[in-house]
Amino acid sequence: MKIVTWNINGIRTFKNGIKKILDSFDADIICVQETKVTRDLLDEKTAIVDDYNSYFSFSRGRGGYSGVATYCKDTATPFLAEEGLTGLLANQGEAVGCYSDQVEMSSEELLALDNEGRAVITQHHFIGTDGPQKLTVINVYCPRADPDKPERKQYKLQFYRLLQCRAEAILSSGSHVIVLGDVNTSHRPIDHCDPDDVDNFEDNPGRKWLDHFLFETAENGNTEDELADISQNSATGGKFVDSFRHFHPKRSNAFTCWSTLTGARQTNYGTRIDYIFSDLHLVEKNFIGVDIMPEVEGSDHCPVWAQLSCKLQSSPKCPPLCTRYMPEFTGRQQKLSRFLVKVPEKQSIAKGSVESLPGSQDAGEIQENLNPIVQGNSVAKKRPTDREADTNVHKAKRTKQTKTESNAKGSLLAFFKPKQTPLIPSSGNLDPKQAESFQDGPNSESDIKSCPSDVQKETNLSKVTVMENKNQDEVEGESTSTDKSKNCKKGPSTGFWKTVLHGPPPPPLCKLHNEPCVLRTVKKAGPNLGRQFFVCARPQGHASNPQARCNFFSWVEKGK
């Protein structure tokens, strides 16, 4: 079997065809993170893919954020599937189980850890050297510790502890366990592009947790024989192995994530934060190889794959969490009463009560998708009265008329010219002197159409003559060119606009490469918010790399 993990940085990565991308991996299980899609925005072509069955976890409190999904081939259909790590999102009879003591967290804290859609668990059966066995795959997207939000640091550590508690409990039940995904922490200095530039690298709480979660590897001085001794005493290390380092203990520059803002992927200036962890026994008996795929683009992360010698057994039926069973994708006719369910006002997920917790599938569909209170806006609106309806119709007409007028294209000079007033005769033929005494009226067009054909023709000619004379007078005041109509189209000279509108200042040349710099703007809150500056245009990289960005920096002076 083959398993792949990839932080796709948004479901838009699959815009060119999800099946084509999934097939390109030639894998039995494909786990993706940071889908950034909520239940109401999930479309059928993403949820239902031929030859695959999928399992999603969505963020419930914030749209376009987090989210994970596991795609399994139909030949590797899991027997059980569960959303989240706490068990609070699982419907009765569908859970994988093994929740242990939940690391002594309150129900509100547990609910908050699962509400961001960061984990999907699938349990499979396979035939190994020791006979039929279970394999549990935990697909996770661990939180990032935002330096500007101290509470997120605590949230991240709580998620780590919950993940370890659940994984070890499942392992103790007799099932093999693979934990994979975006862990958002580089473990060792070899996993970071520039560890010397990071303050207190070894003291980072995330790295300390990884030290406790993982076995000591050969990179840190332990041989493979010593690893077997460690497995007998969990007090000296964790119960899981970094499978990549098991096969590549000394490989450097093996990164899986790069900053897209600085173009760091071009210089391989990144970190390794995407992992495939597994229990030691499974790695030693069944893992054949593990590697990264930096050649695969489409995200700021690259995929990681692992090959195992065992073969998965397929369940005859997909677990209830499968997207195939979602009512919006099954094609079943829905009753009108399903969309008119009255929900008590006190019921709200945001308050964190366990009783109001949405289920992962059928039990929570009404509350999660159809409850206007949960979504924060009212679905039902009061029907307008007849008088209000008439008012709305007039407003709509005025709005449509305004939009039509605003979309009309024309020269910028049209805003600085006096309104043209074509002259319309009431009857008979008029010479130019008589035409000047008439003004344009609201029914001028209809008056012209009602006149005889010879009058209409002469009237149109007089209108053109007056407007041409007017344009010529205006152009003569601006230019001495003989081709006045051409100058009229060109409008004011470019020098005039340069005195009115200041463009960006010319970029200076960086000192090292002697190349034009790029203009940047400070977006971080502080005294320099909004200020512009110039930096080297090359991608970010290590200071020893001559092809990387140099340290040139220059503020843009105010008024320039």
Side-chain angles (χ1 to χ4, degrees):
M1 64 164 286
K2 183 180 180 181
I3 188 168
V4 172
T5 176
W6 188 20
N7 181 318
I8 59 176
N9 191 24
I11 209 72
R12 64 183 180 277
T13 302
F14 296 145
K15 62 183 179 180
N16 293 328
I18 182 171
K19 179 173 172 56
K20 182 178 179 180
I21 295 178
L22 296 180
D23 288 344
S24 67
F25 290 123
D26 191 23
D28 300 280
I29 303 174
I30 302 168
C31 301
V32 296
Q33 303 87 39
E34 205 170 358
T35 59
K36 298 182 179 179
V37 64
T38 50
R39 172 73 180 272
D40 58 323
L41 296 179
L42 181 66
D43 59 356
E44 186 171 354
K45 66 179 181 180
T46 304
I48 312 296
V49 183
D50 291 340
D51 302 325
Y52 294 88
N53 49 93
S54 60
Y55 309 86
F56 278 74
S57 180
F58 309 98
S59 173
R60 285 166 166 77
R62 179 177 171 186
Y65 177 72
S66 189
V68 298
T70 298
Y71 289 87
C72 302
K73 274 191 175 179
D74 288 341
T75 55
T77 302
F79 286 78
L80 291 173
E82 179 182 338
E83 181 183 8
L85 296 173
T86 64
L88 297 176
L89 302 183
N91 293 327
Q92 189 174 4
E94 302 172 3
V96 175
C98 307
Y99 301 106
S100 188
D101 58 359
Q102 301 287 4
V103 293
E104 300 180 353
M105 280 188 277
S106 66
S107 59
E108 290 79 9
E109 291 174 324
L110 292 173
L111 179 62
L113 292 174
D114 264 352
N115 265 353
E116 292 189 359
R118 294 186 175 273
V120 164
I121 304 176
T122 55
Q123 192 167 85
H124 309 258
H125 292 173
F126 71 94
I127 303 296
T129 56
D130 300 330
Q133 300 178 58
K134 291 182 181 179
L135 172 63
T136 303
V137 179
I138 305 178
N139 175 13
V140 293
Y141 173 47
C142 297
R144 185 181 73 90
D146 191 337
D148 298 329
K149 298 179 180 179
E151 68 278 5
R152 295 300 291 181
K153 296 180 181 179
Q154 180 65 20
Y155 182 89
K156 180 176 182 177
L157 293 177
Q158 285 182 329
F159 189 90
Y160 279 157
R161 289 194 291 268
L162 176 63
L163 173 60
Q164 181 175 2
C165 174
R166 185 71 190 277
E168 292 180 351
I170 296 175
L171 183 63
S172 300
S173 70
S175 172
H176 291 290
V177 177
I178 292 179
V179 179
L180 77 173
D182 181 357
V183 180
N184 254 319
T185 298
S186 55
H187 187 203
R188 299 296 184 195
I190 195 174
D191 301 318
H192 198 283
C193 59
D194 199 357
D196 297 334
D197 194 42
V198 179
D199 296 334
N200 304 319
F201 186 89
E202 300 290 346
D203 296 332
N204 181 277
R207 297 186 177 95
K208 287 186 175 181
W209 171 78
L210 282 172
D211 290 339
H212 182 67
F213 181 70
L214 299 175
F215 281 116
E216 292 293 325
T217 63
E219 182 220 350
N220 295 319
N222 294 101
T223 64
E224 293 184 3
D225 293 335
E226 291 172 333
L227 290 177
D229 296 334
I230 293 175
S231 63
Q232 303 298 324
N233 184 7
S234 60
T236 59
K239 298 183 178 181
F240 294 90
V241 173
D242 181 353
S243 61
F244 177 84
R245 285 296 170 210
H246 180 82
F247 288 92
H248 313 283
K250 300 295 183 181
R251 187 197 289 186
S252 59
N253 298 320
F255 305 133
T256 63
C257 180
W258 306 266
S259 172
T260 56
L261 298 177
T262 59
R265 192 164 187 166
Q266 301 178 39
T267 57
N268 196 25
Y269 191 73
T271 56
R272 190 174 73 93
I273 60 177
D274 301 88
Y275 302 89
I276 297 180
F277 300 137
S278 176
D279 61 276
L280 179 61
H281 183 74
L282 186 66
V283 170
E284 292 179 337
K285 297 293 184 180
N286 297 103
F287 270 67
I288 300 175
V290 181
D291 212 338
I292 62 176
M293 304 174 69
E295 71 278 4
V296 178
E297 299 182 349
S299 170
D300 55 342
H301 294 247
C302 77
V304 183
W305 62 264
Q307 192 85 34
L308 286 75
S309 60
C310 57
K311 184 176 181 180
L312 293 176
Q313 291 182 315
S314 179
S315 171
K317 184 180 179 181
C318 296
L321 183 65
C322 183
T323 53
R324 292 179 181 175
Y325 300 136
M326 292 182 177
E328 55 265 42
F329 303 133
T330 57
R332 296 197 305 265
Q333 185 176 2
Q334 304 296 308
K335 294 182 179 180
L336 182 60
S337 59
R338 183 180 183 86
F339 300 92
L340 302 175
V341 176
K342 183 178 181 181
V343 181
E345 294 183 0
K346 295 181 180 179
Q347 206 169 22
S348 177
I349 296 176
K351 295 182 179 179
S353 60
V354 180
E355 292 75 17
S356 62
L357 183 67
S360 57
Q361 288 298 319
D362 292 341
E365 287 160 0
I366 297 175
Q367 181 180 4
E368 187 173 340
N369 297 325
L370 310 176
N371 180 8
I373 299 175
V374 174
Q375 299 298 332
N377 48 30
S378 176
V379 176
K381 295 184 178 180
K382 181 181 177 182
R383 178 176 295 180
T385 62
D386 294 341
R387 184 174 182 181
E388 292 173 342
D390 292 339
T391 305
N392 293 336
V393 170
H394 292 302
K395 286 183 179 180
K397 289 183 178 179
R398 289 198 300 270
T399 304
K400 185 176 182 180
Q401 183 179 2
T402 304
K403 288 183 178 180
T404 304
E405 294 174 356
S406 63
N407 290 335
K409 296 181 179 179
S411 172
L412 185 61
L413 290 175
F415 294 95
F416 303 99
K417 292 181 179 180
K419 184 177 179 181
Q420 302 293 346
T421 56
L423 304 177
I424 303 171
S426 57
S427 61
N429 298 330
L430 296 179
D431 55 39
K433 292 183 179 181
Q434 291 175 318
E436 293 178 358
S437 61
F438 290 92
Q439 298 295 331
D440 185 17
N443 298 324
S444 58
E445 295 293 335
S446 60
D447 292 340
I448 294 176
K449 293 179 181 179
S450 62
C451 292
S453 58
D454 57 340
V455 176
Q456 292 184 27
K457 184 175 181 180
E458 190 168 345
T459 301
N460 291 334
L461 290 175
S462 65
K463 288 171 63 178
V464 172
T465 303
V466 173
M467 294 181 68
E468 286 182 351
N469 291 337
K470 211 167 194 179
N471 289 337
Q472 289 177 0
D473 292 339
E474 292 174 344
V475 173
E476 287 175 357
E478 296 176 0
S479 174
T480 59
S481 175
T482 56
D483 190 2
K484 297 182 176 57
S485 60
K486 184 176 180 181
N487 289 340
C488 183
K489 291 182 180 179
K490 285 186 177 180
S493 63
T494 56
F496 167 75
W497 291 113
K498 287 183 178 180
T499 60
V500 177
L501 302 175
H502 296 283
L509 303 180
C510 65
K511 304 295 183 182
L512 182 61
H513 306 107
N514 198 31
E515 296 174 350
C517 295
V518 292
L519 184 65
R520 305 289 188 193
T521 304
V522 178
K523 296 182 179 180
K524 186 176 181 180
N528 292 322
L529 179 64
R531 289 192 65 183
Q532 293 182 315
F533 59 94
F534 285 104
V535 293
C536 179
R538 295 202 176 192
Q540 185 181 15
H542 197 274
S544 61
N545 186 353
Q547 302 301 323
R549 172 189 301 174
C550 63
N551 59 357
F552 179 86
F553 179 91
S554 176
W555 287 111
V556 175
E557 298 181 12
K558 294 182 178 180
K560 289 189 176 181

